[in-house]
Amino acid sequence: MPLYLVPIIITALLNLYFMPLIAPSLLAANFLKLQDECNMLNESQADWFHLDVMDGRFVPNISYGPMIIEFIRKTTHKVCDVHLMILEPEKFAEAFKNAGADNLSVHIEACPNLHRNIQQIKSLGMKAGVAINPHTPVNDLSDILHDIDLVCMMSVNPGYGGQKFIPHTLEKTKQLRKMIDERGLKVQIEIDGGVTVENAPSIIASGADVLVAGNTVFKATDPKGTISQLKRL
Ligand code: DX5
Ligand code: ZN
């Protein structure tokens, strides 16, 4: 290999390593054109499909369940990252596994026996995530962090897409990054809600690994270009 290529390759690998993962939230997709929306994500630089499940009890809204996810799963080989905003998620974990979920996140606020939920998700062969609401301190994750693969840090109150990013999330992300790094863990930090091309650089700088983006992607005039933009920030 010519020597001049070495720094170029090293820079490319470093970029790849430090690039955030992009997880567009299908909540903002046009469900009458779901196949087209999935095709667009498949052709894009999106890494994960973020799938928001709401029960009208834990959050004041209802979205979709395993049946829709099963259809979406058939359209893609990308990671299906399912975010459960539901009470009693243990009743449905297996249904989401069967629907094709790769990652399953449950809310700490909805799970009095969180450790059991995490064990169940992992025993079903999925990656386990814990989602936390904006008011929930990062310290509440302290005794579960070593058991999980992902923290879904809510940067809006869960229930709706298109809300404004809560700036305090940046502080929480820094704290969580420190906690993960100090313990030498590989837990990924996903930021969910109100992510835009404008605020993404500060979110990444605070230590996030994965950016969820609903409206920013699906309401853009050029969704694929917007995903690339988020990826390259
Ligand atoms: C909110 C959901 C989010 C939402 C993000 O309850 O968990 O995933 O779809 O949508 P935007 O990016 O539009 O805030
Ligand atoms: Zn979500």
Coordinates of all heavy atoms in Angstrom, one line a residue, residues 23-28 50-54 59 83 85 107 152 154-165 191-196 212-217 219, ligand 1:
A23 N -30.6 6.9 14.2 CA -31.8 6.0 14.4 C -33.1 6.8 14.1 O -33.7 7.4 15.0 CB -31.8 5.4 15.8
P24 N -33.5 6.9 12.8 CA -34.7 7.7 12.5 C -35.9 7.0 13.2 O -36.0 5.8 13.2 CB -34.8 7.6 11.0 CG -33.4 7.4 10.5 CD -32.8 6.5 11.6
S25 N -36.8 7.8 13.8 CA -38.0 7.3 14.4 C -39.1 7.3 13.4 O -39.5 8.3 12.9 CB -38.3 8.2 15.6 OG -39.7 7.9 16.0
L26 N -39.6 6.1 13.2 CA -40.7 5.9 12.2 C -42.0 6.6 12.7 O -43.0 6.6 11.9 CB -40.9 4.4 11.9 CG -40.1 3.7 10.9 CD1 -40.5 4.1 9.5 CD2 -38.6 3.7 11.1
L27 N -42.1 7.0 13.9 CA -43.3 7.7 14.4 C -43.6 8.9 13.5 O -44.8 9.2 13.4 CB -43.0 8.2 15.8 CG -44.2 8.6 16.7 CD1 -45.2 7.4 16.9 CD2 -43.8 9.2 18.0
A28 N -42.6 9.5 12.9 CA -42.9 10.7 12.1 C -43.0 10.3 10.6 O -43.2 11.2 9.7 CB -41.7 11.7 12.2
H50 N -35.7 3.2 14.6 CA -36.2 3.4 16.0 C -37.8 3.3 15.9 O -38.4 4.1 15.2 CB -35.8 4.8 16.5 CG -36.1 5.1 17.9 ND1 -35.4 4.6 19.0 CD2 -37.2 5.8 18.4 CE1 -36.0 5.0 20.1 NE2 -37.1 5.7 19.8
L51 N -38.3 2.4 16.7 CA -39.7 2.1 16.7 C -40.4 2.4 18.1 O -40.0 1.7 19.0 CB -39.9 0.6 16.3 CG -39.2 0.3 14.9 CD1 -39.0 -1.1 14.7 CD2 -40.0 1.0 13.8
D52 N -41.2 3.4 18.1 CA -41.8 3.9 19.3 C -43.2 3.2 19.6 O -44.1 3.4 18.8 CB -42.0 5.4 19.2 CG -40.7 6.1 19.3 OD1 -40.0 5.9 20.3 OD2 -40.4 6.9 18.4
V53 N -43.3 2.5 20.7 CA -44.5 1.8 21.1 C -45.1 2.5 22.3 O -44.5 2.6 23.3 CB -44.2 0.3 21.4 CG1 -45.5 -0.4 21.9 CG2 -43.6 -0.4 20.2
M54 N -46.4 3.0 22.2 CA -47.0 3.7 23.2 C -48.4 3.1 23.6 O -49.1 2.7 22.7 CB -47.3 5.2 22.8 CG -46.0 5.9 22.4 SD -46.4 7.5 21.8 CE -44.8 8.1 21.2
V59 N -47.8 6.6 28.8 CA -47.7 8.0 28.1 C -49.1 8.3 27.5 O -49.9 7.4 27.3 CB -46.7 7.9 26.9 CG1 -45.3 7.9 27.4 CG2 -46.9 6.8 26.0
H83 N -38.5 0.9 21.3 CA -38.6 1.8 22.5 C -40.0 1.6 23.1 O -41.0 2.1 22.5 CB -38.3 3.2 22.1 CG -38.5 4.2 23.2 ND1 -38.5 5.6 23.0 CD2 -38.6 4.0 24.6 CE1 -38.7 6.2 24.2 NE2 -38.7 5.3 25.1
M85 N -42.8 2.4 25.5 CA -43.3 3.4 26.4 C -44.6 2.8 26.9 O -45.7 3.3 26.7 CB -43.5 4.7 25.7 CG -42.2 5.5 25.5 SD -42.4 6.7 24.2 CE -42.0 5.7 22.8
H107 N -38.9 1.5 30.1 CA -38.7 2.7 30.9 C -38.5 2.3 32.4 O -39.2 1.5 32.9 CB -39.9 3.6 30.8 CG -39.7 4.6 29.7 ND1 -39.2 5.9 30.0 CD2 -39.9 4.6 28.4 CE1 -39.1 6.6 28.9 NE2 -39.5 5.8 27.9
C152 N -31.6 4.7 26.7 CA -32.3 5.7 25.9 C -32.6 6.9 26.8 O -33.5 6.8 27.6 CB -33.6 5.0 25.4 SG -34.6 6.1 24.4
M154 N -34.2 10.2 27.4 CA -35.3 11.0 26.8 C -34.9 12.5 26.9 O -34.6 13.0 28.0 CB -36.6 10.8 27.5 CG -37.2 9.4 27.3 SD -37.3 8.9 25.6 CE -38.3 10.2 24.8
S155 N -34.9 13.2 25.8 CA -34.6 14.6 25.8 C -35.9 15.4 25.6 O -35.8 16.6 25.3 CB -33.6 14.9 24.7 OG -33.7 14.2 23.6
V156 N -37.0 14.7 25.6 CA -38.4 15.3 25.7 C -39.2 14.4 26.6 O -38.8 13.3 26.9 CB -39.1 15.4 24.3 CG1 -38.3 16.3 23.3 CG2 -39.3 14.0 23.7
N157 N -40.4 14.9 27.0 CA -41.2 14.0 27.7 C -41.9 13.0 26.7 O -42.4 13.4 25.7 CB -42.3 14.7 28.5 CG -41.7 15.5 29.6 OD1 -41.2 14.9 30.6 ND2 -41.7 16.8 29.6
P158 N -41.8 11.7 27.0 CA -42.2 10.7 26.0 C -43.7 10.8 25.7 O -44.5 11.2 26.6 CB -41.9 9.4 26.7 CG -41.8 9.6 28.1 CD -41.3 11.1 28.2
G159 N -44.1 10.5 24.5 CA -45.5 10.5 24.1 C -45.7 11.1 22.7 O -46.7 10.7 22.1
Y160 N -44.9 12.0 22.3 CA -45.2 12.7 21.1 C -43.8 13.0 20.4 O -42.8 13.3 21.0 CB -45.9 14.0 21.3 CG -47.2 13.8 22.0 CD1 -47.3 14.0 23.4 CD2 -48.4 13.4 21.3 CE1 -48.5 13.8 24.0 CE2 -49.6 13.2 21.9 CZ -49.6 13.4 23.3 OH -50.8 13.2 23.9
G161 N -43.9 13.0 19.0 CA -42.8 13.4 18.2 C -42.9 15.0 18.1 O -43.9 15.6 18.5
G162 N -41.8 15.6 17.6 CA -41.9 17.0 17.2 C -41.8 17.9 18.4 O -42.2 19.1 18.3
Q163 N -41.4 17.5 19.5 CA -41.2 18.4 20.7 C -39.8 19.0 20.7 O -38.9 18.6 20.0 CB -41.5 17.7 22.0 CG -42.8 17.0 22.1 CD -43.0 16.3 23.4 OE1 -43.2 16.9 24.5 NE2 -42.8 14.9 23.4
K164 N -39.7 20.0 21.6 CA -38.4 20.8 21.7 C -37.5 20.1 22.6 O -37.9 19.6 23.7 CB -38.8 22.2 22.2 CG -37.9 23.3 21.7 CD -38.5 24.6 22.1 CE -37.5 25.8 22.2 NZ -36.1 25.5 22.6
F165 N -36.2 20.0 22.2 CA -35.2 19.4 23.0 C -35.0 20.1 24.3 O -34.9 21.3 24.4 CB -33.9 19.5 22.2 CG -32.7 18.9 22.8 CD1 -32.4 17.5 22.7 CD2 -31.8 19.7 23.5 CE1 -31.3 16.9 23.3 CE2 -30.6 19.1 24.1 CZ -30.4 17.7 24.0
I191 N -29.8 9.3 22.4 CA -30.6 10.5 22.8 C -31.9 10.6 21.9 O -31.8 10.5 20.7 CB -29.8 11.8 22.6 CG1 -28.4 11.7 23.3 CG2 -30.6 13.1 23.0 CD1 -28.6 11.6 24.8
D192 N -33.0 10.7 22.6 CA -34.3 10.6 21.9 C -35.2 11.8 22.2 O -35.7 11.9 23.3 CB -35.0 9.3 22.4 CG -36.2 8.9 21.7 OD1 -36.5 9.6 20.7 OD2 -36.9 8.0 22.0
G193 N -35.5 12.5 21.1 CA -36.4 13.6 21.2 C -35.9 15.0 20.9 O -34.9 15.4 21.5
G194 N -36.4 15.6 19.9 CA -36.1 17.0 19.6 C -34.7 17.2 19.0 O -34.1 18.3 19.0
V195 N -34.1 16.1 18.5 CA -32.8 16.2 17.9 C -32.9 16.9 16.5 O -33.7 16.5 15.7 CB -32.1 14.8 17.7 CG1 -30.8 14.9 16.9 CG2 -31.9 14.1 19.1
T196 N -32.0 17.9 16.3 CA -32.0 18.6 15.0 C -30.6 18.7 14.5 O -29.6 18.3 15.2 CB -32.5 20.1 15.2 OG1 -31.6 20.7 16.0 CG2 -33.9 20.1 15.8
V212 N -31.5 9.6 17.9 CA -32.9 9.3 17.3 C -33.3 10.6 16.7 O -33.1 11.7 17.2 CB -33.8 8.9 18.4 CG1 -35.3 8.8 17.9 CG2 -33.4 7.6 19.1
A213 N -33.9 10.5 15.5 CA -34.5 11.7 14.9 C -35.8 11.4 14.1 O -35.7 10.5 13.2 CB -33.5 12.4 14.0
G214 N -36.9 11.9 14.5 CA -38.1 11.7 13.8 C -38.5 12.8 12.8 O -38.2 12.6 11.6
N215 N -39.0 13.9 13.4 CA -39.4 15.0 12.5 C -38.3 15.5 11.6 O -38.5 15.9 10.5 CB -40.1 16.1 13.3 CG -41.5 15.7 13.6 OD1 -42.4 16.1 12.9 ND2 -41.7 14.9 14.6
T216 N -37.1 15.6 12.3 CA -35.9 16.2 11.5 C -35.7 15.4 10.3 O -35.3 16.0 9.2 CB -34.7 16.2 12.5 OG1 -34.9 17.2 13.5 CG2 -33.4 16.6 11.7
V217 N -35.9 14.1 10.3 CA -35.6 13.3 9.1 C -36.8 13.3 8.2 O -36.8 13.6 7.0 CB -35.2 11.8 9.5 CG1 -35.3 10.9 8.3 CG2 -33.8 11.8 10.1
K219 N -39.7 14.9 8.0 CA -40.3 16.1 7.5 C -39.3 17.0 6.7 O -39.7 18.1 6.2 CB -40.9 17.0 8.6 CG -41.8 16.2 9.6 CD -43.2 15.8 8.9 CE -44.2 15.2 9.9 NZ -44.4 13.8 9.7
Ligands
DX5_1 C1 -41.1 10.4 21.8 C2 -40.4 9.2 21.1 C3 -39.4 9.7 20.1 C4 -39.9 10.6 19.0 C5 -38.8 11.4 18.5 O1 -41.9 9.8 22.8 O2 -39.8 8.3 21.9 O3 -38.7 8.6 19.6 O4 -40.5 9.9 18.0 O5 -39.4 12.3 17.5 P1 -38.7 13.7 17.3 O6 -37.3 13.5 16.7 O7 -39.6 14.3 16.2 O8 -38.7 14.5 18.5

